[in-house]
Amino acid sequence: MNLVWLVFFSLVCFSPFLHGAVSPGAVNVGAIFTFNTINGKVARIAMKAAEDDINSDPSILGGRKFSITMHDSNFSGFMGIMSALKFMESDTIAIIGPQSAVMAHVLSHLANELHVPLLSFTALDPTLSPLQYPYFIQTAPSDLFQTTAIAEMVSYYGWAEIIAVYSDDDQSRNGITALGDKLAERRCKISYKAALPPDPLANRSDVQGELVKILRMEPRIIVLHTFSRTGLLVFDVAQSLGMMDNGFAWIATTWLSTVLDSNSSLPTKTINSIQGALTLRPHTPDSKRKMDFVSRWNKLSNGSIGLNPYGLYAYDTVWMIANAMKMFLDQGNTISFSNDSKLSGLGSGTLNLGALSIFDGGKQLLKNILQTNMTGLTGPIQFNPDRSLMYPSYDILNAIETGYKQIGYWSNYSGLSVVPPETLYGQPANRSSSSQHLLSVVWPGGVTTRPRGWVFPDNGRQLKIGIPDRVSYQDFVSKLNGTDLVKGYCIDVFLAAIKFLPYAVPYKFIPFGDGHKNPSYTELVNQITHGVFDAVIGDVAIVTNRTRVVDFTQPYIESGLVVVAPVRKLNSSAWAFLRPFTLCMWVVTALFFLLVGAVVWILEHRINDEFRGPPKKQVVTILWFSFSTMFFAHREKTMSTLGRLVMIIWLFVVLIINSSYTASLTSILTVQQLSSPIKGIDTLLTSNDRIGFQVGSFAQNYLNEELSIATTRLVALGSPEEYATALANGTVAAIVDERPYMDLFLSEHCEFSIRGQEFTKSGWGFAFPRDSPLAIDMSTAILNLSENGDLQKIRDKWLTRKACSSQSSESGSEQLQLQSFWGLFLICGIACFLALFIYFCIMLRQFSRYLPEDSEPSVQGSSRSRRLQTFLSFADDKVDEWKSKSKRKRGDMISREDESVDGSERNQMDVSQETYK
């Protein structure tokens, strides 16, 4: 592939055409440009100035002459390639150019083969990859960064779609492809690409044909990526078509900034045609060197053309080569060329391919260029590892009547900013939306209000709006028989919202359905993706599977699935006071009253006179004390610490029970009570009852797929009358449908009620195609309706019903279950157990301390019995009485011991006297 072009053009060009001499001690550099263009003219002057400055300093190349040979390709790829071949014959070490990416793709193969670096500051095609073209170097920011800047501008202004107009050549085409990728990253897109003949072949009829097509489209944001001749022609035609008026926005790539910089006095017609457009200009920081060169420019150019940034890049590119060559020579290398064996072996004859030689030091020179670290007219110059320039940035300009004004900057480091990029490089990078800023813009038409970005084209086409052809609940959407008129709550909301739009929206309603049953809303929404409808208006629920294919507006009414079931009214009775608690709750509460009373009696019996007396009195005391705690009216005072602790916890439990009972009983006696075995969706999930749903609703899929309810349990019903009949005769146990439908249904059927809470949360909205700007504007309009109260008025008009309005949708008060209080009972029970345990431990310790020892041995059985009786007597006696009794018993035992001792002594004396006798 890399020799195809060589062979082809060598067949065309004979050896006499390829000639040239190498000056001894010279450093030859070639340059290929079209010098009849703005950038070609500026580059020629700047490169000549750089050549003179290099040669004026002998220390740079050690006395060697730096020579730039320039060839004019004159918009011709053929002439550009022939110029490159001539340079290769004359031992050229590097080539500056070509000007266009079309030639760069071809010449890069030649540079790869002969190891001659190819440097260009205008062929900025993003697809010129260093992996494929290692000897091609872009010395100005690639168009990849320019397209990134444009994409961020589109996102910053809140636009979703653009139209791209470009010249159909490699550089422009690939730049637009890169722009599409960058827009997609920001959820924007190119809705139409208008390709024009390559510059400068485009004529007025070509441009007018494409712009007329664009004029019939909705987007009004146009990105123009071409060259100066074609670009100015596009603006001229656009002005004649009224496309430079209010509502349009134009973003031109860097070609427009070169026109503004290089032409101090543009014709009035041109100024008017570009007024309001935005454009980018490569950012070059201000410096003394730059200012000095700008001052020299008028003398260098003789006032023929103004300086633009590409002139600065041209000057710096020449110096890059010179510095790299200086490093090359300082490294001890020599400039030498050798024959390419591949070319010399092609054969003999009139072809002189052998004259093309390989630059032996090309690889080292390329490495030196990529290691450039210098400060030029364009600022600090260094290459990233991917061979792109470090810190690419652009000025953002706004074309106005007096020329242009700068509204900000873009850099790959910090994004959009009103601060020069070089001042932000020392700060942490911040690309958040809040940090992105641009100054105000004068848009086409002389307005300062940001264009919306799209309009309905004036081509007579109306929006085709699909509406459900309902046979039930026609308060939401319905079609008047025999006419094309439609009415209903949803229609009124749409008509009210559309009045808030700042533009006219032509539309027509198209019913969807067979008129015999409600249509499938999922199928209705899918008609948008098939192009049948431009929007869907109606009672369309916003659910997940639908949001994957269309965009919805802000919900205009809240919705959610609810369960409706038959209920029976609970009338008041003489035993209504028992209804707040379940039977289990009553039993457990009564047992705990008795338990706490018994525990407190045990803890207080030995120290509190009020808890002592005959057995009958003690039983009455326990019962009285237990139940009096319900009213905090017990007269007995607790004296023990453990008893007080138990009472504190129990009184807290009683407080909670009393409060709950009072609240529940109040509700029972004052609110109409409705009872049903179905408490909500949980009841249906745990049963095998049949469930009804509305035909066409998403409820069927939700119940079947999300809640795993068998299809055999689901019954399709088509109208409120069918709902009522199915519920009344038991065909279904409950209906699952959306809340707005059920509110209307229950307003006429008081014998049914909503059971439980909504188990989904959603809303109804209007559906539009993905990324439709109309969806955003309609959402804003719906919010306006909500804020000014009109939305509620529309709802009151269609959905408010007086019948059964006083009916409670929930049972007024469900019975209080034990499970709601088991935690309190558990805490109280643990407190009672611990108090008793501690009390008995203390009592056993006291008993062991005061227990008298048996004076006479006895059998083991009688000892245990006597010990148990003694313990029970100890537990029943009052503490003070037991202590005094204990003391008396101990005194008696001591007296008996003394008497026995005295008796034994007297006996011993009698024995001794008898012995003496």
Side-chain angles (χ1 to χ4, degrees):
M1 177 67 183
N2 59 344
L3 297 179
V4 173
W5 284 98
L6 296 177
V7 173
F8 173 74
F9 287 107
S10 297
L11 289 172
V12 178
C13 308
F14 298 96
S15 58
F17 182 84
L18 300 171
H19 63 86
V22 181
S23 301
V27 176
N28 296 326
V29 175
I32 306 173
F33 279 87
T34 296
F35 295 125
N36 195 27
T37 62
I38 293 177
N39 287 340
K41 294 175 182 178
V42 171
R44 184 173 190 173
I45 299 171
M47 288 188 292
K48 185 67 173 74
E51 178 186 18
D52 294 340
D53 292 345
I54 293 169
N55 289 328
S56 64
D57 187 354
S59 64
I60 296 180
L61 295 178
R64 293 175 180 262
K65 181 182 179 182
F66 190 87
S67 175
I68 302 179
T69 304
M70 302 186 188
H71 281 276
D72 186 359
S73 62
N74 195 25
F75 298 103
S76 171
F78 173 79
M79 294 304 298
I81 295 172
M82 295 311 304
S83 299
L85 290 172
K86 189 169 185 180
F87 288 145
M88 299 304 179
E89 186 194 24
S90 59
D91 296 340
T92 298
I93 63 161
I95 296 176
I96 301 176
Q99 187 169 345
S100 69
V102 178
M103 289 198 303
H105 281 280
V106 177
L107 296 184
S108 292
H109 290 289
L110 181 63
N112 291 348
E113 182 67 26
L114 301 180
H115 297 178
V116 177
L118 196 63
L119 294 83
S120 179
F121 47 86
T122 54
L124 304 176
D125 183 353
T127 65
L128 286 167
S129 167
L131 297 176
Q132 184 179 7
Y133 308 115
Y135 281 86
F136 180 79
I137 304 172
Q138 293 174 334
T139 58
S142 165
D143 280 348
L144 178 65
F145 300 107
Q146 181 176 207
T147 57
T148 304
I150 294 174
E152 291 198 12
M153 290 168 62
V154 171
S155 177
Y156 171 79
Y157 287 116
W159 299 321
E161 298 183 23
I162 69 163
I163 291 176
V165 180
Y166 62 97
S167 295
D168 197 12
D169 56 37
D170 286 351
Q171 180 157 330
S172 299
R173 188 188 311 112
N174 294 332
I176 293 301
T177 300
L179 175 61
D181 295 338
K182 294 299 179 181
L183 287 171
E185 294 174 4
R186 293 156 179 83
R187 294 201 65 184
C188 306
K189 67 177 182 180
I190 301 175
S191 60
Y192 179 71
K193 297 179 181 179
L196 302 175
D199 189 79
L201 302 179
N203 55 44
R204 193 174 187 88
S205 62
D206 296 327
V207 173
Q208 186 166 344
E210 287 297 330
L211 293 187
V212 168
K213 293 179 185 178
I214 294 172
L215 195 58
R216 296 173 179 172
M217 299 177 184
E218 294 180 0
R220 287 294 183 261
I221 311 303
I222 303 172
V223 174
L224 183 55
H225 186 39
T226 180
F227 302 95
S228 57
R229 291 189 180 184
T230 301
L232 292 177
L233 177 60
V234 170
F235 276 120
D236 184 40
V237 176
Q239 186 185 30
S240 66
L241 294 175
M243 298 177 68
M244 296 304 297
D245 294 335
N246 185 15
F248 285 87
W250 289 77
I251 301 177
T253 49
T254 54
W255 68 266
L256 181 56
S257 65
T258 63
V259 172
L260 296 173
D261 287 330
S262 301
N263 295 274
S264 56
S265 57
L266 288 171
T268 303
K269 182 179 180 181
T270 301
I271 293 175
N272 292 336
S273 67
I274 64 174
Q275 188 173 348
L278 298 180
T279 185
L280 300 176
R281 176 175 64 191
H283 176 69
T284 55
D286 293 333
S287 64
K288 186 177 184 305
R289 289 193 62 194
K290 177 181 174 182
M291 296 305 296
D292 292 342
F293 188 78
V294 171
S295 300
R296 291 174 55 194
W297 183 257
N298 284 335
K299 182 178 179 181
L300 293 172
S301 64
N302 293 322
S304 60
I305 193 170
L307 176 64
N308 65 49
Y310 292 103
L312 304 178
Y313 283 112
Y315 184 92
D316 286 347
T317 300
V318 175
W319 272 96
M320 270 192 244
I321 297 174
N323 289 332
M325 180 52 65
K326 180 180 184 302
M327 187 186 304
F328 178 84
L329 297 174
D330 291 344
Q331 292 167 345
N333 300 306
T334 59
I335 301 175
S336 63
F337 295 84
S338 59
N339 292 331
D340 189 343
S341 59
K342 297 179 183 178
L343 297 177
S344 58
L346 288 178
S348 58
T350 57
L351 296 177
N352 193 18
L353 297 177
L356 303 179
S357 55
I358 297 175
F359 177 27
D360 297 328
K363 186 174 182 179
Q364 184 60 46
L365 180 62
L366 175 67
K367 182 178 179 181
N368 292 347
I369 292 173
L370 295 176
Q371 291 177 349
T372 296
N373 187 0
M374 58 177 267
T375 300
L377 300 182
T378 58
I381 302 174
Q382 285 181 276
F383 289 96
N384 289 309
D386 63 354
R387 293 173 57 169
S388 64
L389 287 173
M390 292 189 68
Y391 300 129
S393 55
Y394 294 89
D395 302 332
I396 302 176
L397 310 180
N398 179 205
I400 57 177
E401 188 175 358
T402 57
Y404 67 85
K405 71 170 184 176
Q406 186 164 339
I407 63 170
Y409 307 87
W410 178 90
S411 74
N412 195 44
Y413 182 78
S414 57
L416 301 174
S417 173
V418 295
V419 181
E422 57 271 15
T423 64
L424 300 175
Y425 293 149
Q427 303 176 13
N430 185 3
R431 301 298 292 270
S432 64
S433 58
S434 60
S435 66
Q436 306 296 291
H437 297 289
L438 292 175
L439 299 178
S440 61
V441 178
V442 177
W443 301 99
V447 300
T448 56
T449 303
R450 176 187 63 86
R452 187 175 58 254
W454 71 282
V455 294
F456 284 101
D458 188 18
N459 56 9
R461 191 179 76 86
Q462 294 178 315
L463 282 181
K464 294 178 293 183
I465 298 179
I467 61 170
D469 189 3
R470 297 194 60 90
V471 296
S472 64
Y473 294 113
Q474 294 189 346
D475 294 282
F476 295 103
V477 180
S478 64
K479 179 182 177 183
L480 296 179
N481 293 332
T483 68
D484 293 331
L485 300 178
V486 293
K487 64 176 184 178
Y489 167 70
C490 302
I491 301 299
D492 280 5
V493 172
F494 173 77
L495 296 178
I498 210 169
K499 293 178 181 178
F500 278 92
L501 300 183
Y503 47 86
V505 180
Y507 62 87
K508 62 178 178 179
F509 293 118
I510 303 176
F512 177 81
D514 58 11
H516 300 293
K517 64 179 181 179
N518 294 332
S520 168
Y521 278 56
T522 300
E523 293 181 8
L524 174 59
V525 170
N526 287 336
Q527 298 303 308
I528 295 178
T529 63
H530 299 155
V532 177
F533 297 136
D534 298 310
V536 168
I537 305 303
D539 46 335
V540 182
I542 304 173
V543 293
T544 303
N545 62 334
R546 295 172 186 171
T547 58
R548 295 191 181 105
V549 295
V550 297
D551 282 348
F552 281 93
T553 62
Q554 172 81 13
Y556 57 87
I557 186 173
E558 292 184 357
S559 182
L561 293 178
V562 294
V563 176
V564 171
V567 293
R568 62 184 180 86
K569 190 180 299 183
L570 293 178
N571 298 319
S572 297
S573 67
W575 303 101
F577 68 91
L578 295 175
R579 198 177 297 167
F581 290 161
T582 61
L583 177 61
C584 183
M585 179 66 182
W586 279 116
V587 172
V588 172
T589 302
L591 290 176
F592 261 84
F593 272 107
L594 296 175
L595 172 65
V596 172
V599 169
V600 172
W601 180 84
I602 293 172
L603 297 175
E604 296 289 323
H605 178 67
R606 300 186 69 240
I607 61 175
N608 194 334
D609 291 335
E610 295 182 357
F611 288 87
R612 302 185 61 78
K616 291 182 178 180
K617 179 183 176 183
Q618 296 306 301
V619 172
V620 172
T621 299
I622 292 174
L623 295 175
W624 162 256
F625 182 83
S626 298
F627 291 101
S628 65
T629 56
M630 181 182 298
F631 312 102
F632 308 105
H634 50 276
R635 67 174 184 271
E636 295 81 6
K637 295 182 180 179
T638 54
M639 298 177 62
S640 67
T641 302
L642 293 175
R644 289 173 178 175
L645 177 63
V646 170
M647 283 302 300
I648 288 174
I649 296 176
W650 174 242
L651 290 176
F652 175 75
V653 175
V654 170
L655 174 65
I656 300 300
I657 292 175
N658 272 339
S659 300
S660 303
Y661 177 84
T662 303
S664 181
L665 183 60
T666 302
S667 177
I668 288 172
L669 298 178
T670 58
V671 178
Q672 177 177 273
Q673 299 297 297
L674 302 176
S675 175
S676 171
I678 296 175
K679 306 301 181 183
I681 189 63
D682 293 336
T683 305
L684 296 178
L685 291 176
T686 57
S687 70
N688 292 319
D689 296 332
R690 292 165 66 84
I691 304 170
F693 66 91
Q694 183 180 175
V695 174
S697 170
F698 76 95
Q700 179 183 13
N701 289 336
Y702 186 87
L703 294 172
N704 182 242
E705 298 175 5
E706 300 295 331
L707 301 183
S708 301
I709 295 177
T711 306
T712 54
R713 292 179 54 195
L714 303 179
V715 179
L717 302 171
S719 66
E721 292 73 21
E722 292 184 22
Y723 283 7
T725 302
L727 289 171
N729 60 24
T731 303
V732 296
I735 300 290
V736 173
D737 206 347
E738 294 181 72
R739 185 69 183 245
Y741 300 124
M742 292 295 91
D743 286 342
L744 277 182
F745 173 72
L746 295 176
S747 67
E748 299 177 357
H749 298 84
C750 306
E751 66 274 22
F752 309 114
S753 176
I754 294 176
R755 309 302 297 167
Q757 302 296 323
E758 293 182 13
F759 55 93
T760 66
K761 289 292 184 181
S762 62
W764 291 353
F766 303 140
F768 293 89
R770 294 300 297 268
D771 302 321
S772 170
L774 186 56
I776 299 174
D777 290 349
M778 285 294 289
S779 293
T780 303
I782 290 172
L783 289 175
N784 289 332
L785 287 175
S786 177
E787 292 171 359
N788 64 19
D790 289 346
L791 196 60
Q792 185 61 43
K793 293 177 182 177
I794 298 173
R795 180 168 183 168
D796 293 342
K797 171 186 174 183
W798 287 98
L799 306 183
T800 300
R801 298 289 188 272
K802 293 184 179 180
C804 301
S805 59
S806 62
Q807 173 180 304
S808 172
S809 62
E810 300 285 345
S811 74
S813 173
E814 297 290 348
Q815 285 187 309
L816 298 176
Q817 306 278 340
L818 176 62
Q819 62 185 10
S820 301
F821 300 92
W822 74 267
L824 288 173
F825 287 130
L826 178 63
I827 293 173
C828 185
I830 292 174
C832 292
F833 173 78
L834 291 177
L836 289 175
F837 178 76
I838 295 172
Y839 173 76
F840 280 114
C841 288
I842 294 173
M843 194 166 61
L844 287 174
R845 182 172 175 272
Q846 292 176 350
F847 177 72
S848 64
R849 178 182 299 177
Y850 294 105
L851 176 67
E853 297 181 1
D854 292 334
S855 57
E856 297 180 3
S858 61
V859 295
Q860 186 176 3
S862 62
S863 175
R864 287 181 179 176
S865 175
R866 188 162 49 250
R867 190 179 182 88
L868 177 60
Q869 291 176 1
T870 304
F871 176 75
L872 292 176
S873 177
F874 172 79
D876 184 60
D877 286 342
K878 195 174 180 181
V879 173
D880 295 337
E881 295 176 357
W882 176 259
K883 288 181 179 179
S884 61
K885 186 185 295 186
S886 228
K887 289 179 180 179
R888 288 196 303 269
K889 287 183 177 181
R890 287 189 177 184
D892 294 341
M893 291 176 64
I894 292 173
S895 299
R896 287 196 297 270
E897 288 176 357
D898 290 343
E899 291 177 357
S900 63
V901 171
D902 292 342
S904 63
E905 288 179 352
R906 285 194 299 268
N907 290 335
Q908 290 178 1
M909 290 177 64
D910 293 340
V911 171
S912 59
Q913 288 178 1
E914 291 177 358
T915 304
Y916 179 72
K917 290 178 179 181

